[in-house]
Amino acid sequence: MSLRQWSGAAPAKVNLRLVVFGREASGYHRIATVFQLLELADRLELEAGEGDGVELELTGVQRGALGPPEENLAVRAARAFNGALSARGRRPLGVRIALRKNVPHGAGLGGGSSDAAAVLRGMSRLSGHPLSGVELMRIGATLGSDVPFFVSRASRALGTGRGERILPLEPLPTREVVLALPAERVSTPWAYGRLARARAGAERSAREYTPRPPSGCWSGVAADAVNDFEAVLFPLRPDLAEIRGALAAAGARPALLSGTGSALFGIFGSEAEASAAERDLAGVRAVHQLIRTRTRDPAHG
């Protein structure tokens, strides 16, 4: 009997390091980043149906908050998967997607990209694994630069190119994480545009940057932590700078902006330290939302 239902998690991520280089002919910037999965995750349930239709049931967010259903990355991933099946002469798979959103959207935590990756994995399972992992990652790269990382299932990885070239890294011991978000989100295109204006032709060349191998310990991660967007965005968004400063003052190592934001995160060595940081951050005017989570244990899959 063929499998008709699949359920799984779509975990969030943070960027432990994010260096941005010049713009490619495609219009995308080259980057070097270190991704880290979190336990915070959306939940998906997929049910195979007749025909090739794709339906989405979305909960956990206000209706319309994520735009039209056809633009949702989970729906686009399902259609891209079916396109790959059709190209192989295989019958497309109708699917109903029930998506429960727990990861804040538009926060630099990769929620939509992770949803897309989960749909690709789930549809692969429902259809008997007709596509290889490499093919799934290629499909993912057409949907978003972060999607291949989530498809890879690595808990920590180096991303290069546009972020889609993935090198899995040795997992680090689980750590407590506090996520702090301001009320106002940050648009990724706007952030890249501000970065390009700030550099005004003096963009960092990939040839001038020889990356150190990513650290294999948390103290090394903290020493290497950098996000090129902070220098550009913090003068324009003092609320982001205030939150990062509060995380650092609470003992986070590192405290950093994730992606282009708006989420900032702090890594803590113990539950007691993270709990104390939560209490401190709750009194910070710029903080609109606090989320407590952990780095994802690879043993949990």
Side-chain angles (χ1 to χ4, degrees), residues 41-126:
D42 293 340
R43 299 294 307 183
L44 291 97
E45 295 182 1
L46 273 60
E47 182 177 0
E50 301 301 324
D52 61 357
V54 177
E55 298 179 21
L56 176 66
E57 177 187 337
L58 188 62
T59 57
V61 293
Q62 293 182 343
R63 181 180 297 273
L66 301 182
E70 61 271 16
E71 294 180 8
N72 189 282
L73 275 172
V75 173
R76 290 172 54 198
R79 290 177 175 159
F81 184 88
N82 277 338
L85 286 185
S86 296
R88 282 174 164 251
R90 292 276 305 254
R91 190 176 187 176
L93 178 69
V95 66
R96 177 179 172 274
I97 304 167
L99 170 57
R100 170 71 186 184
K101 290 296 294 181
N102 299 310
V103 179
H105 60 278
L109 299 172
S113 294
S114 191
D115 295 340
V119 168
L120 292 176
R121 293 196 309 270
M123 291 188 70
S124 179
R125 180 78 184 278
L126 290 174

Side-chain angles (χ1 to χ4, degrees), residues 33 36 46 66 79 111 113 124 142 144 171 196 211-212 230 251 257 271 282 295:
T33 190
Q36 171 65 56
L46 273 60
L66 301 182
R79 290 177 175 159
S113 294
S124 179
T142 68
R212 295 187 300 274
E230 290 188 345
L257 185 74
E271 291 187 18
T295 58

